[in-house]
Amino acid sequence: MRAYLDSQSRTVDGPDYYEPLRPLELEGRDGKLRVSVSFRSHTDDLTLILEEHRDRAVDDFHMPGLTRREAEILFWISKGKTDSDVAAICSISVRTVQKHVENVFVKLGVETRTAAVMTALDQPGL
């Protein structure tokens, strides 16, 4: 991190005040951290911008009222998987996946896959 900040300050000190500064990406076990530097030439302020990208897990989708299997189905939906994909991954039939999705919609009070995923991700603590 120190070397990154030193290299970015040298970039800012040079003639390229308006060039975008390249971000630093640090990979971890559960996701990655992206560090960027924003420079305001009129105030000479440097601002660090930290973006955390955490990989989601099945447990992130477990919420009161959902079964473990429904949470798992919702997890795979969040990854953009189709009903056929989820059926293959979970070793169940496509119709069973569809039934789980219907149950999730009713339990969460939503009508679309996107709304179901967003409802789960809006849980406190995520």
Side-chain angles (χ1 to χ4, degrees):
M1 178 69 92
R2 179 69 161 188
Y4 168 74
L5 292 175
D6 287 344
S7 73
Q8 296 309 298
S9 66
R10 279 194 299 276
T11 302
V12 171
D13 288 338
D16 300 323
Y17 274 117
Y18 302 106
E19 291 294 317
L21 306 176
R22 71 175 172 77
L24 170 67
E25 292 192 1
L26 304 169
E27 301 257 352
R29 185 173 48 97
D30 296 329
K32 67 180 162 181
L33 179 66
R34 183 180 179 146
V35 182
S36 303
V37 176
S38 171
F39 178 73
R40 293 181 177 212
S41 60
H42 64 281
T43 61
D44 287 338
D45 288 337
L46 283 175
T47 303
L48 283 180
I49 302 166
L50 304 175
E51 298 173 70
E52 181 182 8
H53 299 275
R54 188 172 72 92
D55 294 335
R56 299 288 180 193
V58 172
D59 289 339
D60 291 335
F61 292 88
H62 190 72
M63 39 192 318
L66 294 185
T67 66
R68 178 101 175 117
R69 182 61 105 178
E70 290 166 346
E72 182 180 15
I73 301 293
L74 192 53
F75 166 76
W76 289 115
I77 288 172
S78 77
K79 298 288 187 187
K81 301 298 183 189
T82 65
D83 289 349
S84 297
D85 295 336
V86 176
I89 292 166
C90 296
S91 300
I92 57 179
S93 73
V94 172
R95 180 65 191 125
T96 301
V97 171
Q98 293 167 345
K99 192 62 180 173
H100 283 307
V101 172
E102 289 173 23
N103 291 338
V104 168
F105 286 3
V106 169
K107 290 177 178 182
L108 298 182
V110 298
E111 296 180 5
T112 67
R113 295 161 82 94
T114 301
V117 169
M118 294 309 297
T119 298
L121 295 179
D122 279 343
Q123 294 180 85
L126 282 185

mmCIF file of all heavy atoms in Angstrom, residues 56-106:
data_model
loop_
_atom_site.group_PDB
_atom_site.id
_atom_site.type_symbol
_atom_site.label_atom_id
_atom_site.label_comp_id
_atom_site.label_asym_id
_atom_site.label_seq_id
_atom_site.Cartn_x
_atom_site.Cartn_y
_atom_site.Cartn_z
ATOM 1 N N ARG A 56 -20.048 -13.165 -2.515
ATOM 2 C CA ARG A 56 -21.211 -13.611 -1.761
ATOM 3 C C ARG A 56 -21.142 -15.115 -1.539
ATOM 4 O O ARG A 56 -20.543 -15.846 -2.313
ATOM 5 C CB ARG A 56 -22.502 -13.263 -2.509
ATOM 6 C CG ARG A 56 -22.693 -11.795 -2.736
ATOM 7 C CD ARG A 56 -23.040 -11.113 -1.456
ATOM 8 N NE ARG A 56 -23.209 -9.691 -1.697
ATOM 9 C CZ ARG A 56 -23.265 -8.803 -0.744
ATOM 10 N NH1 ARG A 56 -23.159 -9.162 0.495
ATOM 11 N NH2 ARG A 56 -23.422 -7.539 -1.025
ATOM 12 N N ALA A 57 -21.791 -15.552 -0.474
ATOM 13 C CA ALA A 57 -21.883 -16.969 -0.154
ATOM 14 C C ALA A 57 -23.354 -17.323 0.038
ATOM 15 O O ALA A 57 -24.202 -16.437 0.222
ATOM 16 C CB ALA A 57 -21.093 -17.273 1.119
ATOM 17 N N VAL A 58 -23.644 -18.609 0.017
ATOM 18 C CA VAL A 58 -25.023 -19.066 0.201
ATOM 19 C C VAL A 58 -25.597 -18.506 1.498
ATOM 20 O O VAL A 58 -26.755 -18.076 1.545
ATOM 21 C CB VAL A 58 -25.093 -20.611 0.185
ATOM 22 C CG1 VAL A 58 -26.484 -21.089 0.572
ATOM 23 C CG2 VAL A 58 -24.698 -21.142 -1.173
ATOM 24 N N ASP A 59 -24.799 -18.463 2.546
ATOM 25 C CA ASP A 59 -25.288 -17.976 3.847
ATOM 26 C C ASP A 59 -25.750 -16.519 3.794
ATOM 27 O O ASP A 59 -26.567 -16.101 4.603
ATOM 28 C CB ASP A 59 -24.221 -18.143 4.926
ATOM 29 C CG ASP A 59 -24.005 -19.605 5.289
ATOM 30 O OD1 ASP A 59 -24.908 -20.430 5.024
ATOM 31 O OD2 ASP A 59 -22.929 -19.929 5.818
ATOM 32 N N ASP A 60 -25.239 -15.745 2.848
ATOM 33 C CA ASP A 60 -25.663 -14.352 2.707
ATOM 34 C C ASP A 60 -27.129 -14.257 2.289
ATOM 35 O O ASP A 60 -27.752 -13.215 2.443
ATOM 36 C CB ASP A 60 -24.813 -13.615 1.669
ATOM 37 C CG ASP A 60 -23.383 -13.409 2.132
ATOM 38 O OD1 ASP A 60 -23.149 -13.376 3.360
ATOM 39 O OD2 ASP A 60 -22.497 -13.279 1.269
ATOM 40 N N PHE A 61 -27.670 -15.327 1.737
ATOM 41 C CA PHE A 61 -29.035 -15.313 1.237
ATOM 42 C C PHE A 61 -30.009 -16.014 2.176
ATOM 43 O O PHE A 61 -31.197 -16.063 1.912
ATOM 44 C CB PHE A 61 -29.089 -15.936 -0.165
ATOM 45 C CG PHE A 61 -28.381 -15.077 -1.172
ATOM 46 C CD1 PHE A 61 -27.024 -15.217 -1.400
ATOM 47 C CD2 PHE A 61 -29.058 -14.081 -1.845
ATOM 48 C CE1 PHE A 61 -26.363 -14.397 -2.297
ATOM 49 C CE2 PHE A 61 -28.408 -13.254 -2.742
ATOM 50 C CZ PHE A 61 -27.061 -13.412 -2.964
ATOM 51 N N HIS A 62 -29.500 -16.542 3.268
ATOM 52 C CA HIS A 62 -30.392 -17.182 4.235
ATOM 53 C C HIS A 62 -31.030 -16.100 5.089
ATOM 54 O O HIS A 62 -30.349 -15.283 5.697
ATOM 55 C CB HIS A 62 -29.639 -18.177 5.119
ATOM 56 C CG HIS A 62 -30.569 -18.992 5.937
ATOM 57 N ND1 HIS A 62 -31.347 -19.977 5.385
ATOM 58 C CD2 HIS A 62 -30.879 -18.935 7.240
ATOM 59 C CE1 HIS A 62 -32.104 -20.510 6.331
ATOM 60 N NE2 HIS A 62 -31.832 -19.898 7.468
ATOM 61 N N MET A 63 -32.331 -16.051 5.059
ATOM 62 C CA MET A 63 -33.066 -15.059 5.831
ATOM 63 C C MET A 63 -34.273 -15.725 6.451
ATOM 64 O O MET A 63 -34.686 -16.799 6.003
ATOM 65 C CB MET A 63 -33.455 -13.855 4.964
ATOM 66 C CG MET A 63 -33.886 -14.174 3.575
ATOM 67 S SD MET A 63 -34.033 -12.775 2.438
ATOM 68 C CE MET A 63 -34.771 -11.503 3.344
ATOM 69 N N PRO A 64 -34.813 -15.125 7.501
ATOM 70 C CA PRO A 64 -35.974 -15.725 8.165
ATOM 71 C C PRO A 64 -37.092 -16.030 7.160
ATOM 72 O O PRO A 64 -37.422 -15.212 6.317
ATOM 73 C CB PRO A 64 -36.413 -14.648 9.159
ATOM 74 C CG PRO A 64 -35.174 -13.856 9.419
ATOM 75 C CD PRO A 64 -34.410 -13.871 8.130
ATOM 76 N N GLY A 65 -37.622 -17.232 7.264
ATOM 77 C CA GLY A 65 -38.711 -17.640 6.393
ATOM 78 C C GLY A 65 -38.276 -18.464 5.201
ATOM 79 O O GLY A 65 -39.075 -19.185 4.616
ATOM 80 N N LEU A 66 -37.006 -18.363 4.798
ATOM 81 C CA LEU A 66 -36.517 -19.147 3.671
ATOM 82 C C LEU A 66 -35.873 -20.433 4.170
ATOM 83 O O LEU A 66 -35.162 -20.426 5.179
ATOM 84 C CB LEU A 66 -35.478 -18.381 2.850
ATOM 85 C CG LEU A 66 -35.908 -17.140 2.088
ATOM 86 C CD1 LEU A 66 -34.748 -16.618 1.238
ATOM 87 C CD2 LEU A 66 -37.123 -17.401 1.223
ATOM 88 N N THR A 67 -36.097 -21.509 3.440
ATOM 89 C CA THR A 67 -35.404 -22.757 3.763
ATOM 90 C C THR A 67 -33.965 -22.656 3.262
ATOM 91 O O THR A 67 -33.622 -21.769 2.476
ATOM 92 C CB THR A 67 -36.079 -23.962 3.076
ATOM 93 O OG1 THR A 67 -35.930 -23.829 1.658
ATOM 94 C CG2 THR A 67 -37.553 -24.060 3.442
ATOM 95 N N ARG A 68 -33.147 -23.558 3.708
ATOM 96 C CA ARG A 68 -31.747 -23.596 3.258
ATOM 97 C C ARG A 68 -31.685 -23.762 1.734
ATOM 98 O O ARG A 68 -30.888 -23.119 1.066
ATOM 99 C CB ARG A 68 -31.023 -24.761 3.959
ATOM 100 C CG ARG A 68 -29.594 -24.928 3.526
ATOM 101 C CD ARG A 68 -28.663 -24.336 4.560
ATOM 102 N NE ARG A 68 -27.290 -24.610 4.175
ATOM 103 C CZ ARG A 68 -26.432 -23.641 3.897
ATOM 104 N NH1 ARG A 68 -26.772 -22.391 3.992
ATOM 105 N NH2 ARG A 68 -25.202 -23.929 3.557
ATOM 106 N N ARG A 69 -32.539 -24.619 1.191
ATOM 107 C CA ARG A 69 -32.544 -24.855 -0.254
ATOM 108 C C ARG A 69 -33.003 -23.605 -1.002
ATOM 109 O O ARG A 69 -32.434 -23.256 -2.035
ATOM 110 C CB ARG A 69 -33.451 -26.041 -0.587
ATOM 111 C CG ARG A 69 -33.477 -26.377 -2.068
ATOM 112 C CD ARG A 69 -32.102 -26.751 -2.591
ATOM 113 N NE ARG A 69 -32.040 -28.165 -2.779
ATOM 114 C CZ ARG A 69 -31.003 -28.820 -3.250
ATOM 115 N NH1 ARG A 69 -29.911 -28.177 -3.603
ATOM 116 N NH2 ARG A 69 -31.008 -30.109 -3.372
ATOM 117 N N GLU A 70 -34.001 -22.902 -0.496
ATOM 118 C CA GLU A 70 -34.460 -21.668 -1.148
ATOM 119 C C GLU A 70 -33.356 -20.620 -1.154
ATOM 120 O O GLU A 70 -33.164 -19.911 -2.145
ATOM 121 C CB GLU A 70 -35.726 -21.149 -0.461
ATOM 122 C CG GLU A 70 -36.943 -22.009 -0.710
ATOM 123 C CD GLU A 70 -38.101 -21.724 0.214
ATOM 124 O OE1 GLU A 70 -37.916 -21.038 1.245
ATOM 125 O OE2 GLU A 70 -39.215 -22.212 -0.084
ATOM 126 N N ALA A 71 -32.618 -20.525 -0.051
ATOM 127 C CA ALA A 71 -31.494 -19.588 0.009
ATOM 128 C C ALA A 71 -30.423 -19.970 -1.013
ATOM 129 O O ALA A 71 -29.838 -19.105 -1.670
ATOM 130 C CB ALA A 71 -30.898 -19.560 1.415
ATOM 131 N N GLU A 72 -30.189 -21.264 -1.155
ATOM 132 C CA GLU A 72 -29.203 -21.734 -2.136
ATOM 133 C C GLU A 72 -29.646 -21.391 -3.558
ATOM 134 O O GLU A 72 -28.849 -20.924 -4.372
ATOM 135 C CB GLU A 72 -29.012 -23.239 -1.996
ATOM 136 C CG GLU A 72 -27.984 -23.813 -2.940
ATOM 137 C CD GLU A 72 -27.808 -25.318 -2.799
ATOM 138 O OE1 GLU A 72 -28.660 -25.979 -2.179
ATOM 139 O OE2 GLU A 72 -26.809 -25.823 -3.332
ATOM 140 N N ILE A 73 -30.920 -21.596 -3.852
ATOM 141 C CA ILE A 73 -31.456 -21.263 -5.179
ATOM 142 C C ILE A 73 -31.293 -19.764 -5.429
ATOM 143 O O ILE A 73 -30.859 -19.341 -6.502
ATOM 144 C CB ILE A 73 -32.949 -21.662 -5.279
ATOM 145 C CG1 ILE A 73 -33.162 -23.149 -5.036
ATOM 146 C CG2 ILE A 73 -33.555 -21.191 -6.594
ATOM 147 C CD1 ILE A 73 -32.611 -24.080 -6.059
ATOM 148 N N LEU A 74 -31.618 -18.956 -4.429
ATOM 149 C CA LEU A 74 -31.501 -17.499 -4.553
ATOM 150 C C LEU A 74 -30.047 -17.081 -4.774
ATOM 151 O O LEU A 74 -29.761 -16.179 -5.572
ATOM 152 C CB LEU A 74 -32.084 -16.828 -3.304
ATOM 153 C CG LEU A 74 -32.303 -15.341 -3.345
ATOM 154 C CD1 LEU A 74 -33.123 -14.910 -4.546
ATOM 155 C CD2 LEU A 74 -32.989 -14.891 -2.046
ATOM 156 N N PHE A 75 -29.132 -17.746 -4.111
ATOM 157 C CA PHE A 75 -27.703 -17.492 -4.312
ATOM 158 C C PHE A 75 -27.325 -17.704 -5.772
ATOM 159 O O PHE A 75 -26.678 -16.855 -6.387
ATOM 160 C CB PHE A 75 -26.864 -18.402 -3.407
ATOM 161 C CG PHE A 75 -25.405 -18.443 -3.770
ATOM 162 C CD1 PHE A 75 -24.572 -17.382 -3.454
ATOM 163 C CD2 PHE A 75 -24.863 -19.533 -4.432
ATOM 164 C CE1 PHE A 75 -23.220 -17.408 -3.782
ATOM 165 C CE2 PHE A 75 -23.522 -19.576 -4.768
ATOM 166 C CZ PHE A 75 -22.702 -18.511 -4.448
ATOM 167 N N TRP A 76 -27.734 -18.828 -6.346
ATOM 168 C CA TRP A 76 -27.374 -19.114 -7.735
ATOM 169 C C TRP A 76 -28.063 -18.159 -8.701
ATOM 170 O O TRP A 76 -27.475 -17.764 -9.708
ATOM 171 C CB TRP A 76 -27.661 -20.576 -8.087
ATOM 172 C CG TRP A 76 -26.691 -21.494 -7.404
ATOM 173 C CD1 TRP A 76 -26.967 -22.427 -6.453
ATOM 174 C CD2 TRP A 76 -25.269 -21.536 -7.591
ATOM 175 N NE1 TRP A 76 -25.808 -23.043 -6.034
ATOM 176 C CE2 TRP A 76 -24.758 -22.527 -6.724
ATOM 177 C CE3 TRP A 76 -24.387 -20.845 -8.409
ATOM 178 C CZ2 TRP A 76 -23.401 -22.831 -6.657
ATOM 179 C CZ3 TRP A 76 -23.038 -21.145 -8.346
ATOM 180 C CH2 TRP A 76 -22.554 -22.124 -7.475
ATOM 181 N N ILE A 77 -29.272 -17.743 -8.367
ATOM 182 C CA ILE A 77 -29.957 -16.735 -9.186
ATOM 183 C C ILE A 77 -29.139 -15.443 -9.183
ATOM 184 O O ILE A 77 -28.991 -14.785 -10.210
ATOM 185 C CB ILE A 77 -31.391 -16.483 -8.671
ATOM 186 C CG1 ILE A 77 -32.284 -17.688 -8.993
ATOM 187 C CG2 ILE A 77 -31.976 -15.213 -9.261
ATOM 188 C CD1 ILE A 77 -33.657 -17.602 -8.360
ATOM 189 N N SER A 78 -28.586 -15.086 -8.028
ATOM 190 C CA SER A 78 -27.786 -13.858 -7.927
ATOM 191 C C SER A 78 -26.534 -13.928 -8.800
ATOM 192 O O SER A 78 -25.975 -12.903 -9.170
ATOM 193 C CB SER A 78 -27.386 -13.581 -6.476
ATOM 194 O OG SER A 78 -26.313 -14.411 -6.070
ATOM 195 N N LYS A 79 -26.104 -15.130 -9.118
ATOM 196 C CA LYS A 79 -24.931 -15.333 -9.983
ATOM 197 C C LYS A 79 -25.322 -15.357 -11.457
ATOM 198 O O LYS A 79 -24.491 -15.639 -12.317
ATOM 199 C CB LYS A 79 -24.223 -16.643 -9.625
ATOM 200 C CG LYS A 79 -23.673 -16.691 -8.218
ATOM 201 C CD LYS A 79 -22.488 -15.797 -8.104
ATOM 202 C CE LYS A 79 -21.811 -15.966 -6.760
ATOM 203 N NZ LYS A 79 -20.754 -14.996 -6.568
ATOM 204 N N GLY A 80 -26.620 -15.091 -11.750
ATOM 205 C CA GLY A 80 -27.075 -15.041 -13.133
ATOM 206 C C GLY A 80 -27.407 -16.388 -13.738
ATOM 207 O O GLY A 80 -27.540 -16.513 -14.955
ATOM 208 N N LYS A 81 -27.547 -17.404 -12.910
ATOM 209 C CA LYS A 81 -27.832 -18.747 -13.410
ATOM 210 C C LYS A 81 -29.305 -18.886 -13.801
ATOM 211 O O LYS A 81 -30.186 -18.334 -13.158
ATOM 212 C CB LYS A 81 -27.497 -19.807 -12.351
ATOM 213 C CG LYS A 81 -26.051 -19.793 -11.890
ATOM 214 C CD LYS A 81 -25.090 -20.077 -13.020
ATOM 215 C CE LYS A 81 -23.657 -20.128 -12.523
ATOM 216 N NZ LYS A 81 -22.695 -20.182 -13.595
ATOM 217 N N THR A 82 -29.544 -19.630 -14.860
ATOM 218 C CA THR A 82 -30.911 -19.932 -15.293
ATOM 219 C C THR A 82 -31.464 -21.074 -14.449
ATOM 220 O O THR A 82 -30.715 -21.740 -13.706
ATOM 221 C CB THR A 82 -30.929 -20.359 -16.765
ATOM 222 O OG1 THR A 82 -30.216 -21.601 -16.882
ATOM 223 C CG2 THR A 82 -30.312 -19.297 -17.673
ATOM 224 N N ASP A 83 -32.763 -21.317 -14.576
ATOM 225 C CA ASP A 83 -33.362 -22.442 -13.857
ATOM 226 C C ASP A 83 -32.684 -23.758 -14.232
ATOM 227 O O ASP A 83 -32.440 -24.600 -13.372
ATOM 228 C CB ASP A 83 -34.868 -22.522 -14.140
ATOM 229 C CG ASP A 83 -35.650 -21.386 -13.486
ATOM 230 O OD1 ASP A 83 -35.081 -20.660 -12.652
ATOM 231 O OD2 ASP A 83 -36.843 -21.234 -13.815
ATOM 232 N N SER A 84 -32.362 -23.914 -15.499
ATOM 233 C CA SER A 84 -31.676 -25.139 -15.956
ATOM 234 C C SER A 84 -30.291 -25.266 -15.322
ATOM 235 O O SER A 84 -29.887 -26.355 -14.902
ATOM 236 C CB SER A 84 -31.538 -25.145 -17.476
ATOM 237 O OG SER A 84 -32.798 -25.157 -18.077
ATOM 238 N N ASP A 85 -29.577 -24.146 -15.265
ATOM 239 C CA ASP A 85 -28.248 -24.146 -14.628
ATOM 240 C C ASP A 85 -28.355 -24.548 -13.162
ATOM 241 O O ASP A 85 -27.587 -25.387 -12.673
ATOM 242 C CB ASP A 85 -27.596 -22.764 -14.701
ATOM 243 C CG ASP A 85 -27.281 -22.293 -16.103
ATOM 244 O OD1 ASP A 85 -27.123 -23.134 -17.004
ATOM 245 O OD2 ASP A 85 -27.203 -21.057 -16.299
ATOM 246 N N VAL A 86 -29.293 -23.928 -12.457
ATOM 247 C CA VAL A 86 -29.465 -24.196 -11.023
ATOM 248 C C VAL A 86 -29.842 -25.652 -10.808
ATOM 249 O O VAL A 86 -29.338 -26.312 -9.887
ATOM 250 C CB VAL A 86 -30.513 -23.247 -10.399
ATOM 251 C CG1 VAL A 86 -30.758 -23.610 -8.943
ATOM 252 C CG2 VAL A 86 -30.067 -21.797 -10.523
ATOM 253 N N ALA A 87 -30.721 -26.171 -11.659
ATOM 254 C CA ALA A 87 -31.128 -27.574 -11.542
ATOM 255 C C ALA A 87 -29.916 -28.495 -11.665
ATOM 256 O O ALA A 87 -29.764 -29.439 -10.873
ATOM 257 C CB ALA A 87 -32.166 -27.903 -12.613
ATOM 258 N N ALA A 88 -29.056 -28.220 -12.627
ATOM 259 C CA ALA A 88 -27.857 -29.045 -12.814
ATOM 260 C C ALA A 88 -26.909 -28.921 -11.623
ATOM 261 O O ALA A 88 -26.381 -29.922 -11.127
ATOM 262 C CB ALA A 88 -27.152 -28.648 -14.106
ATOM 263 N N ILE A 89 -26.709 -27.697 -11.146
ATOM 264 C CA ILE A 89 -25.794 -27.465 -10.020
ATOM 265 C C ILE A 89 -26.295 -28.162 -8.758
ATOM 266 O O ILE A 89 -25.519 -28.768 -8.023
ATOM 267 C CB ILE A 89 -25.631 -25.950 -9.756
ATOM 268 C CG1 ILE A 89 -24.875 -25.301 -10.918
ATOM 269 C CG2 ILE A 89 -24.923 -25.693 -8.427
ATOM 270 C CD1 ILE A 89 -24.944 -23.779 -10.928
ATOM 271 N N CYS A 90 -27.604 -28.076 -8.508
ATOM 272 C CA CYS A 90 -28.189 -28.611 -7.269
ATOM 273 C C CYS A 90 -28.664 -30.055 -7.398
ATOM 274 O O CYS A 90 -29.188 -30.616 -6.429
ATOM 275 C CB CYS A 90 -29.353 -27.733 -6.830
ATOM 276 S SG CYS A 90 -28.866 -26.057 -6.389
ATOM 277 N N SER A 91 -28.514 -30.626 -8.580
ATOM 278 C CA SER A 91 -28.951 -32.003 -8.844
ATOM 279 C C SER A 91 -30.432 -32.206 -8.533
ATOM 280 O O SER A 91 -30.831 -33.160 -7.860
ATOM 281 C CB SER A 91 -28.104 -33.011 -8.049
ATOM 282 O OG SER A 91 -26.755 -32.901 -8.408
ATOM 283 N N ILE A 92 -31.250 -31.276 -9.021
ATOM 284 C CA ILE A 92 -32.703 -31.370 -8.885
ATOM 285 C C ILE A 92 -33.319 -31.048 -10.245
ATOM 286 O O ILE A 92 -32.625 -30.615 -11.157
ATOM 287 C CB ILE A 92 -33.254 -30.419 -7.793
ATOM 288 C CG1 ILE A 92 -32.861 -28.961 -8.083
ATOM 289 C CG2 ILE A 92 -32.763 -30.845 -6.405
ATOM 290 C CD1 ILE A 92 -33.400 -27.946 -7.062
ATOM 291 N N SER A 93 -34.615 -31.235 -10.362
ATOM 292 C CA SER A 93 -35.264 -30.981 -11.648
ATOM 293 C C SER A 93 -35.506 -29.477 -11.836
ATOM 294 O O SER A 93 -35.559 -28.708 -10.866
ATOM 295 C CB SER A 93 -36.599 -31.717 -11.730
ATOM 296 O OG SER A 93 -37.567 -31.091 -10.907
ATOM 297 N N VAL A 94 -35.671 -29.091 -13.091
ATOM 298 C CA VAL A 94 -35.967 -27.693 -13.407
ATOM 299 C C VAL A 94 -37.287 -27.284 -12.748
ATOM 300 O O VAL A 94 -37.407 -26.180 -12.224
ATOM 301 C CB VAL A 94 -36.021 -27.477 -14.940
ATOM 302 C CG1 VAL A 94 -36.512 -26.075 -15.279
ATOM 303 C CG2 VAL A 94 -34.658 -27.732 -15.556
ATOM 304 N N ARG A 95 -38.267 -28.174 -12.763
ATOM 305 C CA ARG A 95 -39.562 -27.861 -12.143
ATOM 306 C C ARG A 95 -39.410 -27.618 -10.641
ATOM 307 O O ARG A 95 -40.055 -26.735 -10.087
ATOM 308 C CB ARG A 95 -40.565 -28.992 -12.412
ATOM 309 C CG ARG A 95 -41.916 -28.733 -11.810
ATOM 310 C CD ARG A 95 -42.603 -27.519 -12.455
ATOM 311 N NE ARG A 95 -43.764 -27.152 -11.663
ATOM 312 C CZ ARG A 95 -43.985 -25.951 -11.160
ATOM 313 N NH1 ARG A 95 -43.151 -24.964 -11.369
ATOM 314 N NH2 ARG A 95 -45.056 -25.707 -10.442
ATOM 315 N N THR A 96 -38.554 -28.367 -9.984
ATOM 316 C CA THR A 96 -38.315 -28.156 -8.550
ATOM 317 C C THR A 96 -37.681 -26.784 -8.319
ATOM 318 O O THR A 96 -38.055 -26.066 -7.385
ATOM 319 C CB THR A 96 -37.429 -29.274 -7.972
ATOM 320 O OG1 THR A 96 -38.094 -30.522 -8.175
ATOM 321 C CG2 THR A 96 -37.166 -29.068 -6.489
ATOM 322 N N VAL A 97 -36.741 -26.396 -9.170
ATOM 323 C CA VAL A 97 -36.136 -25.064 -9.073
ATOM 324 C C VAL A 97 -37.226 -24.011 -9.233
ATOM 325 O O VAL A 97 -37.314 -23.053 -8.444
ATOM 326 C CB VAL A 97 -35.037 -24.859 -10.134
ATOM 327 C CG1 VAL A 97 -34.573 -23.401 -10.165
ATOM 328 C CG2 VAL A 97 -33.863 -25.787 -9.880
ATOM 329 N N GLN A 98 -38.069 -24.163 -10.238
ATOM 330 C CA GLN A 98 -39.148 -23.195 -10.477
ATOM 331 C C GLN A 98 -40.069 -23.082 -9.271
ATOM 332 O O GLN A 98 -40.484 -21.982 -8.908
ATOM 333 C CB GLN A 98 -39.934 -23.586 -11.730
ATOM 334 C CG GLN A 98 -39.130 -23.454 -13.000
ATOM 335 C CD GLN A 98 -39.774 -24.125 -14.206
ATOM 336 O OE1 GLN A 98 -40.689 -24.939 -14.071
ATOM 337 N NE2 GLN A 98 -39.297 -23.776 -15.397
ATOM 338 N N LYS A 99 -40.366 -24.204 -8.644
ATOM 339 C CA LYS A 99 -41.233 -24.191 -7.457
ATOM 340 C C LYS A 99 -40.549 -23.455 -6.302
ATOM 341 O O LYS A 99 -41.181 -22.667 -5.597
ATOM 342 C CB LYS A 99 -41.607 -25.625 -7.057
ATOM 343 C CG LYS A 99 -42.706 -25.679 -6.046
ATOM 344 C CD LYS A 99 -43.972 -25.064 -6.631
ATOM 345 C CE LYS A 99 -45.111 -25.105 -5.640
ATOM 346 N NZ LYS A 99 -46.270 -24.371 -6.117
ATOM 347 N N HIS A 100 -39.252 -23.705 -6.121
ATOM 348 C CA HIS A 100 -38.506 -22.986 -5.080
ATOM 349 C C HIS A 100 -38.520 -21.482 -5.359
ATOM 350 O O HIS A 100 -38.692 -20.667 -4.439
ATOM 351 C CB HIS A 100 -37.064 -23.482 -4.989
ATOM 352 C CG HIS A 100 -36.905 -24.789 -4.279
ATOM 353 N ND1 HIS A 100 -37.401 -25.028 -3.023
ATOM 354 C CD2 HIS A 100 -36.280 -25.937 -4.666
ATOM 355 C CE1 HIS A 100 -37.095 -26.259 -2.648
ATOM 356 N NE2 HIS A 100 -36.414 -26.840 -3.635
ATOM 357 N N VAL A 101 -38.325 -21.098 -6.611
ATOM 358 C CA VAL A 101 -38.329 -19.680 -6.987
ATOM 359 C C VAL A 101 -39.701 -19.073 -6.692
ATOM 360 O O VAL A 101 -39.797 -17.977 -6.128
ATOM 361 C CB VAL A 101 -37.927 -19.488 -8.467
ATOM 362 C CG1 VAL A 101 -38.131 -18.045 -8.901
ATOM 363 C CG2 VAL A 101 -36.473 -19.906 -8.682
ATOM 364 N N GLU A 102 -40.766 -19.774 -7.041
ATOM 365 C CA GLU A 102 -42.122 -19.292 -6.730
ATOM 366 C C GLU A 102 -42.287 -19.075 -5.229
ATOM 367 O O GLU A 102 -42.837 -18.050 -4.797
ATOM 368 C CB GLU A 102 -43.172 -20.304 -7.208
ATOM 369 C CG GLU A 102 -43.346 -20.395 -8.693
ATOM 370 C CD GLU A 102 -44.275 -21.547 -9.094
ATOM 371 O OE1 GLU A 102 -45.102 -21.991 -8.260
ATOM 372 O OE2 GLU A 102 -44.161 -21.999 -10.247
ATOM 373 N N ASN A 103 -41.820 -20.040 -4.428
ATOM 374 C CA ASN A 103 -41.927 -19.925 -2.966
ATOM 375 C C ASN A 103 -41.134 -18.737 -2.436
ATOM 376 O O ASN A 103 -41.593 -18.020 -1.536
ATOM 377 C CB ASN A 103 -41.451 -21.219 -2.290
ATOM 378 C CG ASN A 103 -42.384 -22.378 -2.534
ATOM 379 O OD1 ASN A 103 -43.562 -22.196 -2.849
ATOM 380 N ND2 ASN A 103 -41.864 -23.589 -2.412
ATOM 381 N N VAL A 104 -39.956 -18.516 -2.990
ATOM 382 C CA VAL A 104 -39.128 -17.373 -2.584
ATOM 383 C C VAL A 104 -39.872 -16.068 -2.883
ATOM 384 O O VAL A 104 -39.920 -15.161 -2.047
ATOM 385 C CB VAL A 104 -37.749 -17.399 -3.283
ATOM 386 C CG1 VAL A 104 -37.013 -16.077 -3.109
ATOM 387 C CG2 VAL A 104 -36.905 -18.555 -2.754
ATOM 388 N N PHE A 105 -40.458 -15.960 -4.075
ATOM 389 C CA PHE A 105 -41.200 -14.757 -4.449
ATOM 390 C C PHE A 105 -42.311 -14.478 -3.451
ATOM 391 O O PHE A 105 -42.481 -13.338 -2.994
ATOM 392 C CB PHE A 105 -41.799 -14.894 -5.849
ATOM 393 C CG PHE A 105 -40.818 -14.781 -6.985
ATOM 394 C CD1 PHE A 105 -39.455 -14.639 -6.783
ATOM 395 C CD2 PHE A 105 -41.271 -14.841 -8.289
ATOM 396 C CE1 PHE A 105 -38.570 -14.532 -7.847
ATOM 397 C CE2 PHE A 105 -40.402 -14.737 -9.365
ATOM 398 C CZ PHE A 105 -39.049 -14.584 -9.142
ATOM 399 N N VAL A 106 -43.077 -15.509 -3.103
ATOM 400 C CA VAL A 106 -44.191 -15.341 -2.157
ATOM 401 C C VAL A 106 -43.665 -14.928 -0.783
ATOM 402 O O VAL A 106 -44.159 -13.975 -0.172
ATOM 403 C CB VAL A 106 -45.031 -16.633 -2.062
ATOM 404 C CG1 VAL A 106 -46.019 -16.555 -0.904
ATOM 405 C CG2 VAL A 106 -45.747 -16.892 -3.379
#
